[in-house]
Amino acid sequence: MMHWRPASGFVGDVIPFCHDGRIWLFYLLDERPDDPTAGPSGMPWALVSTTDFVHYTDHGVVLPAGDRDAVDFDCYTGSVVADGSRLHLFYTGHNPRRGSADGAFQVVCHAVSDGDPTRWTKLPADTFGAPNGFVPQDWRDPFVYRTAPDEPWQLVLAARYADAPDRRCGVVARLSSPDLSQWELAPPLWEPHRYITQECPDVFQWGDWWYLVYSEFSDAFQTRYRIARGPNGPWLAQPRDTVDGRAFYAAKTVEFQGRRFFVGWIPTKQGDAWQWAGDLAVLEAHQQRDGALAFGLPSEVVAAYGDPEDVKLSPLDGASAEPGQGATDRYAAWIGDVVPPHCLITLTVDVAPDTHSFGLLLHATEDGEQATILRLEPQRNRLVLDYWPRGRTGPAQWQIHGDIPHAVDLECPCPLPPGRHTLQVLLDGPTAQAAVDHRVTLTFRSAPTVRSAHVGLFVTDGAVDLVELQVARLGG
């Protein structure tokens, strides 16, 4: 299983931290007890560590939830920093029984360690809530950093202005401290005047650029980023400002051996509804000359798969014997063998000008009639996920979700000029990650009705020349 999940429970927000030559991935442990009569229990921090995002060591719960009446009954998202030999952990405290009629208050909490990331001592005296002018129910996800070794510590949070339009009051609030104990309110880092709030903020410097990463708490639910020439902004949007799609959420970053990784989670689903928490997932960022970021699968993850084998394709419905033997009419498809549930699929094609769409059929039936579809659309410069057949709204033939062109919460802008393109797909049971040209990624979860496992290729209103379609088995 490449997308790690604990034996009992699910991975919520991940807090990555580099220390002692390892990547320590703290995460919110969503235990989802099966017994509805069980007494309420809060949310703790658990920990898993790795050096390659392939092999993991599970350290279990390292920051227990507080007792029933504690301000940190739930230990929500935060950050970890080192100050000399001492480690500091900042997190969000929440208790549904404390607050007002408008909801429970959120507070910033502090814990320390003498250097062991698995052992922490809470410091209740350092707890503080939102000052006047901010909504006390949204004062969360503290991220602590320094702009330079001799500068004060900075702490940014997901916050909301009080007495402001509800869906435009989100702000990345900021405080400063000389000692990581006493904090003073500073000018906000970013106030975009849009959306409810900007969750899980993360700030880092990479070369000549500064980056602000956040998860947009709106209908989109996507992790986005902004860039600036200095640590205080102004924060500029890139043409492609998203990290991934709806199914890679609350991503935070870590630098390891000179590389930058984004670590988030793939939500589980109940029917068509996304749930909170799921499986751990990672992407590697690559910096472009203009400061923009490209994303792909880490090389260590790719290397975990064995020697690739060519997929033998058979034409469907009168298609040419092989892709690339002439332009298609409206639609042509080719179906291949059954692939294992845990594998890496690599497709490389040369795309003819004016091609409308092409892509992969995953989890497909032998006749290609049912499939999970990764569709690349050059005329729209986007990558989308589709399912066929789509769901129905009633028994009649016309009562089908045909008015939904694809899974609209799973699409990414993706430059697709004519020429060669490579699509990698990491299949990991029900979860998957697709990467186009080591530049654009789309994480997704297969439909629960999927039963077959053929792989196929298709093209619509255009032509592609097949360079390779290969499958590599995990550990093969």
Side-chain angles (χ1 to χ4, degrees), residues 138-371:
D138 286 290
W139 185 251
R140 63 176 180 274
D141 309 341
F143 180 82
V144 176
Y145 65 102
R146 262 180 170 161
T147 59
D150 57 345
E151 291 292 326
W153 292 95
Q154 307 286 310
L155 185 152
V156 293
L157 306 102
R160 301 175 68 198
Y161 284 131
D163 302 321
D166 186 61
R167 294 187 176 274
R168 299 200 307 275
C169 64
V171 57
V172 181
R174 178 167 52 172
L175 301 94
S176 65
S177 172
D179 59 5
L180 293 170
S181 180
Q182 300 298 315
W183 295 92
E184 181 178 342
L185 189 65
L189 185 67
W190 191 44
E191 42 185 349
H193 303 290
R194 59 190 302 196
Y195 303 129
I196 297 172
T197 192
Q198 292 75 38
E199 295 190 298
C200 301
D202 187 322
V203 180
F204 62 90
Q205 184 180 15
W206 193 349
D208 295 331
W209 293 96
W210 284 82
Y211 294 82
L212 168 62
V213 179
Y214 63 95
S215 289
E216 179 182 289
F217 195 65
S218 72
D219 294 341
F221 281 97
Q222 289 184 310
T223 301
R224 299 183 185 270
Y225 75 95
R226 296 290 184 265
I227 68 173
R229 284 295 189 181
N232 298 316
W235 299 102
L236 307 175
Q238 296 300 292
R240 296 189 312 278
D241 68 339
T242 57
V243 175
D244 198 289
R246 171 66 177 88
F248 184 78
Y249 194 64
K252 295 170 76 70
T253 81
V254 63
E255 181 186 359
F256 184 65
Q257 298 178 349
R259 299 156 66 190
R260 178 68 57 171
F261 298 94
F262 281 60
V263 190
W265 46 270
I266 305 173
T268 55
K269 297 188 79 172
Q270 186 173 35
D272 292 331
W274 295 105
Q275 296 175 297
W276 191 88
D279 303 79
L280 186 147
V282 60
L283 299 171
E284 182 171 1
H286 305 280
Q287 189 181 50
Q288 311 298 291
R289 288 186 177 181
D290 61 358
L293 297 179
F295 297 93
L297 302 175
S299 57
E300 294 86 349
V301 170
V302 173
Y305 294 83
D307 294 334
E309 300 176 358
D310 292 329
V311 175
K312 183 179 179 181
L313 294 173
S314 300
L316 294 174
D317 302 329
S320 58
E322 295 179 2
Q325 293 188 351
T328 66
D329 183 10
R330 172 165 169 73
Y331 178 82
W334 299 263
I335 201 72
D337 299 329
V338 169
V339 299
H342 304 275
C343 67
L344 180 70
I345 302 170
T346 302
L347 169 70
T348 302
V349 293
D350 278 319
V351 183
D354 301 321
T355 295
H356 280 223
S357 69
F358 67 96
L360 283 176
L361 304 175
L362 304 170
H363 314 122
T365 52
E366 191 173 6
D367 59 2
E369 183 67 11
Q370 299 180 37

